[in-house]
Amino acid sequence: MQNPTNSIKPEWTIIKLLKWTTSYFKSRDIESPRATAEILLAHILELKRIDLYLQYDQPLCAEELSRFKALIKRRVKREPVAYILGFKEFWSMDFAVTKDVLIPRPETEFLVEAGLKLLPEGSMSKQNLTRKRILELGTGSGAVILALASMRPHHLFFASDRAIAAAVQAKQNAERHALHGCVIFFCSDWFGTFGNGKPVFDVIVSNPPYVPSGVIAGLQPEINRYEPISALDGGEDGLSSLRSIVNAAHRHLCREGCLLLEIGHDQKDDILKIIEQSGNYEKVIFTKDYSGYDRIVQMQKKRT
Ligand code: GLN
């Protein structure tokens, strides 16, 4: 005969787990505790978040419980949700992300928007359309160049990263979105692998590391314990990569070609100085991000 106590043994249903995990995350100061609990549980059960509520009294089996527990532990150790899930949404596209690449940030979508304004829409059948050449430096997961390529697939896209693992990740993301025919990926430390040939690019775009070295230790543990420091560290003043790019990009830009850069929230004056000192650009335009910071700078190669 069945032991009657078995039937009243508390079961971990979806709703009970959500409640428990939310309060556990809260007690550990995890940002957005409820949403995080929902996202991780939905991931384990391969459900949409809304389905958790439609099936709220469904119990989890032991194997699901133990996998969920493992994810809770990772999050409490401050691993970002994007690395736990293995992907991040950017420009309404899913990008696979590993610890080899920076997690794409919402403000970087402004870099994509600025790029799109420089790339005419059209299709290859339109005879008068000129195909532009666009280069991204430090592509990481490939989010920026792939968002651009998805919107303007008739142009020619190139993207590099100094880290082989990042270039491989970006290429895999291109395949995931069936854009591998539109973008050429390669390894290069900024313009390190380029020769002194004729300038060929109409647009060069980059979100280089721009955080001052001394600031990194004070960032959230999600960032400084898990994200690649090489993608964040902009040297002592945070400007070393921005400076290298500004000082070299004009040699690779066609006539009236544009350089687009993401910068730190307080780097407007510094980047203006670097641009002026280089003397190679005009028509400098800043774009603000969602928080009102000047986040994107666009400059056009000076006509000689
Ligand atoms: N925006 C990122 C951060 O705040 C920094 C990205 C970068 O250095 N390019 O962590």
Side-chain angles (χ1 to χ4, degrees), residues 82-83 85-90 93-104 139-143 146 165-166 168-177:
Y83 288 148
L85 302 183
F87 72 87
K88 175 74 184 175
E89 190 181 306
F90 176 86
M93 296 162 79
D94 273 349
F95 290 97
V97 287
T98 62
K99 287 168 200 163
D100 296 318
V101 299
L102 202 70
I103 299 166
T139 192
S141 65
L146 293 171
V168 168
Q169 173 88 85
K171 190 156 187 279
Q172 284 168 356
N173 275 321
E175 281 158 13
R176 185 187 182 106
H177 292 286

Tab-separated table of all heavy atoms in Angstrom, residues 82-83 85-90 93-104 139-143 146 165-166 168-177:
chain	number	residue	atom	x	y	z
A	82	ALA	N	23.106	36.575	-19.684
A	82	ALA	CA	23.409	36.302	-21.100
A	82	ALA	C	24.421	35.160	-21.243
A	82	ALA	O	24.285	34.314	-22.133
A	82	ALA	CB	23.948	37.555	-21.787
A	83	TYR	N	25.432	35.117	-20.370
A	83	TYR	CA	26.402	34.013	-20.452
A	83	TYR	C	25.774	32.709	-19.982
A	83	TYR	O	26.100	31.637	-20.475
A	83	TYR	CB	27.642	34.312	-19.606
A	83	TYR	CG	28.549	35.390	-20.183
A	83	TYR	CD1	29.268	36.230	-19.344
A	83	TYR	CD2	28.706	35.547	-21.554
A	83	TYR	CE1	30.113	37.208	-19.839
A	83	TYR	CE2	29.535	36.529	-22.071
A	83	TYR	CZ	30.243	37.359	-21.212
A	83	TYR	OH	31.063	38.326	-21.717
A	85	LEU	N	22.597	31.829	-20.284
A	85	LEU	CA	21.714	31.335	-21.355
A	85	LEU	C	22.497	31.029	-22.625
A	85	LEU	O	22.065	30.239	-23.450
A	85	LEU	CB	20.646	32.382	-21.706
A	85	LEU	CG	19.723	32.874	-20.601
A	85	LEU	CD1	18.693	33.839	-21.172
A	85	LEU	CD2	19.015	31.707	-19.918
A	86	GLY	N	23.623	31.745	-22.786
A	86	GLY	CA	24.441	31.548	-23.987
A	86	GLY	C	24.017	32.430	-25.146
A	86	GLY	O	24.504	32.256	-26.258
A	87	PHE	N	23.105	33.366	-24.902
A	87	PHE	CA	22.759	34.300	-25.972
A	87	PHE	C	22.237	35.613	-25.426
A	87	PHE	O	21.836	35.716	-24.258
A	87	PHE	CB	21.749	33.694	-26.961
A	87	PHE	CG	20.376	33.559	-26.387
A	87	PHE	CD1	19.473	34.616	-26.443
A	87	PHE	CD2	19.965	32.385	-25.782
A	87	PHE	CE1	18.205	34.504	-25.899
A	87	PHE	CE2	18.709	32.264	-25.229
A	87	PHE	CZ	17.825	33.327	-25.291
A	88	LYS	N	22.244	36.622	-26.273
A	88	LYS	CA	21.725	37.936	-25.901
A	88	LYS	C	20.988	38.525	-27.102
A	88	LYS	O	21.450	38.416	-28.241
A	88	LYS	CB	22.923	38.843	-25.521
A	88	LYS	CG	22.563	40.272	-25.219
A	88	LYS	CD	21.887	40.400	-23.870
A	88	LYS	CE	21.454	41.841	-23.620
A	88	LYS	NZ	20.688	41.961	-22.380
A	89	GLU	N	19.868	39.169	-26.815
A	89	GLU	CA	19.130	39.806	-27.904
A	89	GLU	C	19.675	41.213	-28.132
A	89	GLU	O	19.933	41.961	-27.183
A	89	GLU	CB	17.648	39.876	-27.545
A	89	GLU	CG	16.808	40.303	-28.739
A	89	GLU	CD	15.323	40.415	-28.413
A	89	GLU	OE1	14.759	39.434	-27.908
A	89	GLU	OE2	14.765	41.489	-28.668
A	90	PHE	N	19.897	41.537	-29.394
A	90	PHE	CA	20.372	42.865	-29.776
A	90	PHE	C	19.767	43.133	-31.144
A	90	PHE	O	19.807	42.262	-32.025
A	90	PHE	CB	21.913	42.855	-29.852
A	90	PHE	CG	22.540	44.129	-30.332
A	90	PHE	CD1	22.821	45.162	-29.446
A	90	PHE	CD2	22.863	44.307	-31.671
A	90	PHE	CE1	23.408	46.347	-29.881
A	90	PHE	CE2	23.443	45.486	-32.118
A	90	PHE	CZ	23.716	46.505	-31.212
A	93	MET	N	17.657	40.536	-32.702
A	93	MET	CA	18.280	39.309	-33.214
A	93	MET	C	18.950	38.620	-32.021
A	93	MET	O	19.418	39.296	-31.115
A	93	MET	CB	19.371	39.645	-34.261
A	93	MET	CG	18.844	40.328	-35.514
A	93	MET	SD	20.190	41.154	-36.427
A	93	MET	CE	20.949	39.786	-37.287
A	94	ASP	N	18.995	37.279	-32.054
A	94	ASP	CA	19.664	36.539	-30.976
A	94	ASP	C	21.120	36.320	-31.333
A	94	ASP	O	21.409	35.784	-32.409
A	94	ASP	CB	19.014	35.152	-30.824
A	94	ASP	CG	17.832	35.205	-29.891
A	94	ASP	OD1	17.659	36.235	-29.214
A	94	ASP	OD2	17.078	34.221	-29.855
A	95	PHE	N	22.022	36.706	-30.444
A	95	PHE	CA	23.444	36.470	-30.684
A	95	PHE	C	23.984	35.515	-29.648
A	95	PHE	O	23.778	35.727	-28.442
A	95	PHE	CB	24.222	37.793	-30.638
A	95	PHE	CG	23.904	38.667	-31.810
A	95	PHE	CD1	22.957	39.683	-31.711
A	95	PHE	CD2	24.504	38.435	-33.036
A	95	PHE	CE1	22.628	40.456	-32.806
A	95	PHE	CE2	24.176	39.207	-34.142
A	95	PHE	CZ	23.239	40.220	-34.026
A	96	ALA	N	24.688	34.470	-30.111
A	96	ALA	CA	25.347	33.568	-29.167
A	96	ALA	C	26.488	34.351	-28.525
A	96	ALA	O	27.225	35.065	-29.208
A	96	ALA	CB	25.882	32.350	-29.912
A	97	VAL	N	26.595	34.264	-27.209
A	97	VAL	CA	27.695	34.937	-26.510
A	97	VAL	C	28.365	33.969	-25.535
A	97	VAL	O	27.693	33.209	-24.840
A	97	VAL	CB	27.239	36.208	-25.732
A	97	VAL	CG1	26.914	37.346	-26.664
A	97	VAL	CG2	26.065	35.929	-24.799
A	98	THR	N	29.690	34.008	-25.538
A	98	THR	CA	30.481	33.261	-24.554
A	98	THR	C	31.359	34.288	-23.852
A	98	THR	O	31.364	35.464	-24.228
A	98	THR	CB	31.399	32.238	-25.241
A	98	THR	OG1	32.307	32.978	-26.065
A	98	THR	CG2	30.627	31.249	-26.087
A	99	LYS	N	32.137	33.809	-22.876
A	99	LYS	CA	33.002	34.733	-22.138
A	99	LYS	C	34.122	35.323	-22.999
A	99	LYS	O	34.885	36.153	-22.535
A	99	LYS	CB	33.567	34.038	-20.902
A	99	LYS	CG	32.492	33.861	-19.847
A	99	LYS	CD	32.921	32.941	-18.737
A	99	LYS	CE	31.673	32.427	-18.033
A	99	LYS	NZ	31.927	31.260	-17.213
A	100	ASP	N	34.235	34.891	-24.241
A	100	ASP	CA	35.250	35.465	-25.141
A	100	ASP	C	34.802	36.803	-25.711
A	100	ASP	O	35.599	37.512	-26.322
A	100	ASP	CB	35.496	34.524	-26.335
A	100	ASP	CG	36.089	33.206	-25.883
A	100	ASP	OD1	36.977	33.232	-25.014
A	100	ASP	OD2	35.645	32.156	-26.391
A	101	VAL	N	33.514	37.111	-25.581
A	101	VAL	CA	33.006	38.353	-26.196
A	101	VAL	C	32.172	39.161	-25.207
A	101	VAL	O	31.524	38.608	-24.318
A	101	VAL	CB	32.157	38.063	-27.468
A	101	VAL	CG1	32.980	37.353	-28.530
A	101	VAL	CG2	30.897	37.280	-27.147
A	102	LEU	N	32.218	40.476	-25.411
A	102	LEU	CA	31.408	41.388	-24.596
A	102	LEU	C	29.925	41.131	-24.898
A	102	LEU	O	29.570	40.852	-26.034
A	102	LEU	CB	31.770	42.810	-25.027
A	102	LEU	CG	31.508	43.951	-24.067
A	102	LEU	CD1	32.464	43.875	-22.876
A	102	LEU	CD2	31.702	45.289	-24.768
A	103	ILE	N	29.089	41.249	-23.899
A	103	ILE	CA	27.642	41.105	-24.118
A	103	ILE	C	27.161	42.396	-24.790
A	103	ILE	O	27.422	43.484	-24.274
A	103	ILE	CB	26.919	40.889	-22.778
A	103	ILE	CG1	27.434	39.598	-22.115
A	103	ILE	CG2	25.407	40.845	-22.970
A	103	ILE	CD1	27.048	39.462	-20.647
A	104	PRO	N	26.487	42.309	-25.941
A	104	PRO	CA	26.037	43.546	-26.597
A	104	PRO	C	25.128	44.366	-25.684
A	104	PRO	O	24.265	43.814	-24.992
A	104	PRO	CB	25.276	43.060	-27.835
A	104	PRO	CG	25.599	41.623	-27.989
A	104	PRO	CD	26.086	41.098	-26.679
A	139	THR	N	34.944	43.372	-33.489
A	139	THR	CA	33.538	42.987	-33.698
A	139	THR	C	32.940	42.169	-32.548
A	139	THR	O	31.727	42.149	-32.362
A	139	THR	CB	33.395	42.257	-35.052
A	139	THR	OG1	32.031	42.131	-35.381
A	139	THR	CG2	34.040	40.866	-35.042
A	140	GLY	N	33.765	41.468	-31.773
A	140	GLY	CA	33.244	40.667	-30.643
A	140	GLY	C	32.263	39.612	-31.129
A	140	GLY	O	32.597	38.793	-31.992
A	141	SER	N	31.029	39.662	-30.640
A	141	SER	CA	30.019	38.679	-31.051
A	141	SER	C	29.535	38.910	-32.489
A	141	SER	O	28.797	38.101	-33.025
A	141	SER	CB	28.801	38.769	-30.126
A	141	SER	OG	28.175	40.035	-30.282
A	142	GLY	N	29.918	40.050	-33.083
A	142	GLY	CA	29.476	40.369	-34.438
A	142	GLY	C	28.153	41.109	-34.462
A	142	GLY	O	27.595	41.376	-35.532
A	143	ALA	N	27.637	41.469	-33.282
A	143	ALA	CA	26.286	42.037	-33.208
A	143	ALA	C	26.121	43.281	-34.101
A	143	ALA	O	25.120	43.383	-34.829
A	143	ALA	CB	25.952	42.385	-31.760
A	146	LEU	N	26.506	42.490	-37.971
A	146	LEU	CA	25.433	41.605	-38.444
A	146	LEU	C	24.081	42.323	-38.432
A	146	LEU	O	23.242	42.082	-39.305
A	146	LEU	CB	25.397	40.309	-37.632
A	146	LEU	CG	26.639	39.432	-37.857
A	146	LEU	CD1	26.679	38.270	-36.873
A	146	LEU	CD2	26.675	38.901	-39.295
A	165	ALA	N	39.100	33.804	-30.960
A	165	ALA	CA	37.856	33.237	-30.409
A	165	ALA	C	36.665	34.149	-30.714
A	165	ALA	O	35.563	33.670	-30.986
A	165	ALA	CB	37.993	33.029	-28.913
A	166	ALA	N	36.887	35.460	-30.685
A	166	ALA	CA	35.794	36.394	-30.980
A	166	ALA	C	35.438	36.336	-32.467
A	166	ALA	O	34.253	36.286	-32.819
A	166	ALA	CB	36.194	37.809	-30.571
A	168	VAL	N	35.738	33.900	-34.452
A	168	VAL	CA	35.045	32.623	-34.699
A	168	VAL	C	33.586	32.732	-34.233
A	168	VAL	O	32.653	32.330	-34.932
A	168	VAL	CB	35.776	31.456	-33.968
A	168	VAL	CG1	34.933	30.187	-33.950
A	168	VAL	CG2	37.131	31.198	-34.612
A	169	GLN	N	33.411	33.333	-33.045
A	169	GLN	CA	32.059	33.512	-32.490
A	169	GLN	C	31.196	34.382	-33.418
A	169	GLN	O	30.024	34.091	-33.667
A	169	GLN	CB	32.215	34.189	-31.116
A	169	GLN	CG	30.943	34.590	-30.471
A	169	GLN	CD	30.341	33.495	-29.646
A	169	GLN	OE1	30.686	33.327	-28.506
A	169	GLN	NE2	29.472	32.738	-30.242
A	170	ALA	N	31.807	35.462	-33.921
A	170	ALA	CA	31.072	36.365	-34.826
A	170	ALA	C	30.660	35.623	-36.095
A	170	ALA	O	29.534	35.771	-36.587
A	170	ALA	CB	31.946	37.573	-35.167
A	171	LYS	N	31.569	34.799	-36.613
A	171	LYS	CA	31.270	34.043	-37.839
A	171	LYS	C	30.121	33.055	-37.581
A	171	LYS	O	29.226	32.897	-38.419
A	171	LYS	CB	32.532	33.314	-38.313
A	171	LYS	CG	32.403	32.720	-39.669
A	171	LYS	CD	33.745	32.545	-40.344
A	171	LYS	CE	33.587	32.095	-41.766
A	171	LYS	NZ	33.347	30.659	-41.882
A	172	GLN	N	30.147	32.430	-36.414
A	172	GLN	CA	29.050	31.495	-36.080
A	172	GLN	C	27.723	32.243	-35.993
A	172	GLN	O	26.687	31.750	-36.413
A	172	GLN	CB	29.332	30.786	-34.760
A	172	GLN	CG	30.370	29.689	-34.922
A	172	GLN	CD	30.892	29.165	-33.598
A	172	GLN	OE1	30.535	29.673	-32.532
A	172	GLN	NE2	31.758	28.170	-33.653
A	173	ASN	N	27.771	33.453	-35.449
A	173	ASN	CA	26.544	34.256	-35.385
A	173	ASN	C	26.067	34.639	-36.779
A	173	ASN	O	24.861	34.707	-37.033
A	173	ASN	CB	26.750	35.479	-34.501
A	173	ASN	CG	26.507	35.154	-33.031
A	173	ASN	OD1	25.589	34.409	-32.702
A	173	ASN	ND2	27.334	35.697	-32.161
A	174	ALA	N	27.025	34.886	-37.676
A	174	ALA	CA	26.647	35.199	-39.065
A	174	ALA	C	25.916	33.999	-39.669
A	174	ALA	O	24.889	34.150	-40.351
A	174	ALA	CB	27.894	35.539	-39.876
A	175	GLU	N	26.435	32.795	-39.401
A	175	GLU	CA	25.798	31.582	-39.933
A	175	GLU	C	24.403	31.401	-39.339
A	175	GLU	O	23.447	31.073	-40.047
A	175	GLU	CB	26.673	30.351	-39.641
A	175	GLU	CG	27.832	30.270	-40.620
A	175	GLU	CD	29.006	29.440	-40.124
A	175	GLU	OE1	28.867	28.707	-39.135
A	175	GLU	OE2	30.085	29.569	-40.750
A	176	ARG	N	24.294	31.662	-38.065
A	176	ARG	CA	23.001	31.549	-37.363
A	176	ARG	C	21.936	32.418	-38.016
A	176	ARG	O	20.765	32.071	-38.057
A	176	ARG	CB	23.265	32.010	-35.931
A	176	ARG	CG	22.163	31.900	-34.942
A	176	ARG	CD	22.621	32.577	-33.638
A	176	ARG	NE	21.617	32.478	-32.620
A	176	ARG	CZ	21.699	31.664	-31.585
A	176	ARG	NH1	22.749	30.911	-31.408
A	176	ARG	NH2	20.730	31.618	-30.705
A	177	HIS	N	22.352	33.567	-38.544
A	177	HIS	CA	21.402	34.488	-39.169
A	177	HIS	C	21.469	34.456	-40.704
A	177	HIS	O	20.971	35.372	-41.352
A	177	HIS	CB	21.647	35.913	-38.653
A	177	HIS	CG	21.291	36.057	-37.207
A	177	HIS	ND1	19.988	36.093	-36.769
A	177	HIS	CD2	22.051	36.123	-36.099
A	177	HIS	CE1	19.972	36.183	-35.445
A	177	HIS	NE2	21.203	36.202	-35.014
